[in-house]
Amino acid sequence: MNINPAMISRLFIKDWQLIQRYMLMYIGLGALSIFLMSVKNGTAYYTGVVMLITVLIGASAHVVFVSIVIERKEHQMSFIMGLPINVTDYTLSKLLGGLVAYLLCWTPIVLTLLLVIGFSDMPNGMIPMALITALEILLATTLLLCVAIVFEQEAVTIVVMVALNLLFNLFLFSVGQMPEINMHITSDTPVFNATVFGIIGVELLSILLLLVATTYYKSRKACFF
Amino acid sequence: MNDIAIQLNDVSKAFKYFALKNVDLTLPTGQIMGFVGANGAGKSTTIRIIMGLMQADQGKVNVLGRTLPYEQANLKQEVGYSSEEMRLYGAKNLGWHMQFIKSIYPSWDDNYAKALLNRFDLNTEQKIKQFSKGQHIKAQLLLVLARKPKLLVLDEPTTGLDPVARQEVMNELALILQDEQRTVLFSSHNTADVEKISDQITFIDRGRIIDSNDKETFLENWRRINIELPSDHEMLPMGHVIHVEQQGRIASMVSNQFTPSILQACQQQNIRVNSVDNMTLEEIFLTSVMHRRQGEQK
């Protein structure tokens, strides 16, 4: 598998320059959400939670659509295909680049969230659940990136995005119902038990598998068309 | 230095409703080839195969000494490719695009880029989405030319332009291509554009190459001969005459290998030759296509 790291990083920088303004905006909105969560008011707290999830999911969709779907739809992909890259270079630049771009937004928001939970009046027992939830959104972002790259179709990407949002609610409900997690959410100290580590491990492993499988699948293609 | 820039041998590619069939194509280094065909004839498919963007089902593709599609990344370091469907990033300006391309191609020439900016009358600060289509195409050309590619592949660069913008782009392109010796493959369905800048011309129709030669040979070999027959009987077939239109005793015949022997043959059959006319490339192309299609039907 021939790859050109220099070209991959140039394509990543190019994509980042196209979305950085929006990512900074999402970071700002994320900070605002966390601030609302920390206010001692039930309405503000729930507004903050909903806003934070919306921001993380919105940023995810933004990265995928701007860097992959719209680039293809608006024929900028033809411009990129004319550059000295092969399919694997392109796939890696979109997969890793998209993920890194998203992480540049996701990481400060999630770290801030964990710190605010840790140092505010919110129960520290929320930390494992917050981390599991944030990682689920990261996993969904990775899956959406992979779908956009593999299927190369806007409609499929939109359908998968909608399905992932529906599954997110189901995921939150299911995890929240687990006694090993549920019983510690309101405790003063975070409890990282085997269930929490298991879920986090599955999430991280799934991200890795998706990245490897997509790269392998695309690298078997000699050509863009 | 390789004498052959592009070499396609027996290249085929099948789709559900279209097939490129047994394409042989040779473009010597330093030549400008016009690749002419109607919409859907197979020009873009051939060019995608040449660029390594699409894999042929069979045949060999060699461009600048590299086997495609396997060496496409290395090849594209030396080739400037622009196509009608290609779009730049609307939210960014031309200067941003120039910096991006410059960061990739060590051969980027700043002075040449500035000269092209002046020649094309483009503003680096202007966002691409504010460009007209003509400006957009000029911007694309600037980005491929300033990197000084060994081979330039232009897939229908003037398609969709209004006549004024097309003329502007073609004039600039003709001037630029005179600057230095470049190898260029230039596809179009517009024969006037191709005639203006090409040394070599290849016609493609329904996925097959129907003729390929240098421009002078095309223009010298093809003649329309206007004649008056001794009677209104249907004219007998004549060598090297591929098309005849007859109305009573008046007829017009087209030869794709014109020699004085055709006129002598007319004399022998008591056919009066009224005039022998040169043909435009468009007439040659259309007659070639019709002749080929009639041959396929028989």
Side-chain angles (χ1 to χ4, degrees):
Chain A
M1 184 165 64
N2 289 326
I3 57 167
N4 183 342
M7 271 310 298
I8 292 168
S9 59
R10 282 193 186 100
L11 290 179
F12 163 66
I13 291 166
K14 182 266 298 173
D15 281 343
W16 173 248
Q17 287 173 346
L18 288 168
I19 57 172
Q20 63 181 347
R21 254 189 325 161
Y22 301 101
M23 289 297 113
L24 291 173
M25 186 189 77
Y26 284 116
I27 291 172
L29 286 172
L32 179 64
S33 312
I34 295 164
F35 169 74
L36 287 173
M37 286 174 70
S38 66
V39 173
K40 289 177 183 171
N41 175 296
T43 308
Y45 173 79
Y46 284 108
T47 305
V49 170
V50 171
M51 194 169 154
L52 183 71
I53 290 169
T54 307
V55 164
L56 287 174
I57 292 176
S60 156
H62 205 114
V63 168
V64 175
F65 275 82
V66 169
S67 68
I68 301 172
V69 179
I70 293 176
E71 186 172 88
R72 186 172 284 274
K73 188 178 175 184
E74 295 189 351
H75 300 288
Q76 288 132 359
M77 171 95 182
S78 298
F79 172 62
I80 298 302
M81 285 188 304
L83 302 175
I85 55 167
N86 57 32
V87 179
T88 310
D89 296 330
Y90 173 79
T91 304
L92 284 171
S93 81
K94 292 299 175 188
L95 265 185
L96 300 180
L99 206 55
V100 169
Y102 183 65
L103 281 169
L104 287 173
C105 169
W106 182 91
T107 308
I109 291 175
V110 173
L111 280 179
T112 310
L113 174 67
L114 298 179
L115 285 171
V116 169
I117 294 173
F119 291 101
S120 70
D121 292 341
M122 283 187 266
N124 288 359
M126 286 170 65
I127 288 176
M129 183 64 188
L131 195 56
I132 286 170
T133 307
L135 281 171
E136 198 281 341
I137 296 174
L138 186 63
L139 170 60
T141 303
T142 312
L143 181 61
L144 200 60
L145 273 170
C146 296
V147 166
I149 289 168
V150 170
F151 289 94
E152 303 174 352
Q153 285 181 32
E154 184 183 18
V156 175
T157 311
I158 289 172
V159 168
V160 171
M161 186 177 73
V162 171
L164 285 170
N165 288 347
L166 292 172
L167 285 172
F168 174 72
N169 291 312
L170 194 65
F171 175 84
L172 276 189
F173 178 77
S174 305
V175 174
Q177 293 294 306
M178 288 180 177
E180 299 88 342
I181 291 171
N182 184 289
M183 64 192 293
H184 302 296
I185 280 184
T186 51
S187 62
D188 289 337
T189 51
V191 178
F192 284 92
N193 54 29
T195 306
V196 172
F197 279 122
I199 295 171
I200 289 174
V202 168
E203 286 175 327
L204 292 174
L205 192 64
S206 301
I207 290 172
L208 190 65
L209 282 174
L210 280 169
L211 293 176
V212 171
T214 304
T215 307
Y216 174 72
Y217 172 75
K218 294 295 280 188
S219 67
R220 291 166 65 212
K221 286 183 74 177
C223 298
F224 284 94
F225 290 102
Chain B
M1 188 175 158
N2 207 326
D3 291 338
I4 302 294
I6 298 175
Q7 178 92 57
L8 268 62
N9 294 113
D10 197 26
V11 168
S12 296
K13 174 79 183 174
F15 300 93
K16 196 172 180 182
Y17 298 110
F18 171 77
L20 200 66
K21 296 165 200 154
N22 311 106
V23 168
D24 291 309
L25 188 75
T26 303
L27 175 60
T29 302
Q31 294 276 300
I32 300 172
M33 176 181 277
F35 194 42
V36 187
N39 291 333
K43 301 186 295 293
S44 294
T45 302
T46 308
I47 283 179
R48 283 173 179 177
I49 290 171
I50 286 170
M51 289 299 300
L53 303 177
M54 186 178 275
Q55 189 161 22
D57 296 334
Q58 69 164 59
K60 288 182 180 171
V61 183
N62 193 290
V63 180
L64 300 180
R66 299 185 190 278
T67 304
L68 292 175
Y70 311 104
E71 297 181 77
Q72 61 164 295
N74 290 331
L75 172 80
K76 287 185 283 189
Q77 194 65 248
E78 300 174 321
V79 178
Y81 169 58
S82 173
S83 79
E84 185 266 334
E85 63 165 14
M86 193 181 276
R87 295 287 178 275
L88 304 175
Y89 294 94
K92 294 292 178 185
N93 62 26
L94 178 57
W96 179 86
H97 285 84
M98 289 167 69
Q99 283 303 315
F100 176 55
I101 294 296
K102 185 180 173 180
S103 74
I104 295 168
Y105 293 91
S107 55
W108 178 270
D109 185 334
D110 274 326
N111 292 330
Y112 188 42
K114 278 179 194 162
L116 288 170
L117 272 174
N118 289 331
R119 193 179 278 180
F120 286 156
D121 194 23
L122 293 172
N123 184 343
T124 53
E125 299 300 319
Q126 195 174 345
K127 284 190 175 172
I128 298 295
K129 65 182 171 192
Q130 295 162 340
F131 278 3
S132 67
K133 187 153 187 194
Q135 286 175 313
H136 194 278
I137 286 168
K138 286 177 182 175
Q140 277 188 43
L141 288 174
L142 183 149
L143 294 173
V144 293
L145 289 165
R147 67 176 90 148
K148 300 256 175 183
K150 287 182 184 169
L151 170 66
L152 201 55
V153 178
L154 307 174
D155 188 10
E156 307 223 28
T158 56
T159 299
L161 290 182
D162 63 69
V164 176
R166 205 188 90 218
Q167 188 70 17
E168 260 180 29
V169 170
M170 286 312 300
N171 285 343
E172 296 299 343
L173 201 54
L175 274 172
I176 288 159
L177 296 177
Q178 281 172 3
D179 280 355
E180 291 172 42
Q181 227 198 15
R182 289 179 196 275
T183 310
V184 183
L185 178 67
F186 169 67
S187 86
S188 178
H189 59 256
N190 191 312
T191 48
D193 289 352
V194 169
E195 193 169 354
K196 192 167 190 169
I197 61 169
S198 304
D199 310 310
Q200 302 262 327
I201 291 165
T202 296
F203 293 149
I204 184 168
D205 186 53
R206 292 179 175 175
R208 286 184 187 275
I209 300 288
I210 56 174
D211 211 347
S212 187
N213 224 320
D214 62 85
K215 183 168 72 181
E216 281 70 30
T217 306
F218 263 117
L219 297 174
E220 279 168 20
N221 282 359
W222 285 72
R223 289 286 190 282
R224 183 183 300 282
I225 306 158
N226 297 308
I227 54 175
E228 197 174 323
L229 300 162
S231 71
D232 56 5
H233 288 117
E234 196 173 328
M235 199 183 145
L236 295 170
M238 204 178 276
H240 302 318
V241 171
I242 63 162
H243 180 70
V244 177
E245 282 174 29
Q246 184 179 348
Q247 277 194 318
R249 290 175 56 204
I250 301 299
S252 163
M253 55 187 192
V254 174
S255 169
N256 63 349
Q257 287 181 53
F258 178 76
T259 59
S261 65
I262 294 175
L263 302 181
Q264 287 165 7
C266 287
Q267 269 185 341
Q268 285 164 6
Q269 294 180 45
N270 287 328
I271 296 170
R272 184 176 155 196
V273 175
N274 289 333
S275 63
V276 178
D277 299 332
N278 291 327
M279 293 174 71
T280 63
L281 193 63
E282 182 158 334
E283 290 172 318
I284 295 171
F285 170 62
L286 289 173
T287 312
S288 284
V289 167
M290 297 319 291
H291 175 60
R292 178 71 180 221
R293 289 184 181 181
Q294 281 162 6
E296 279 177 359
Q297 282 167 2
K298 286 175 190 170

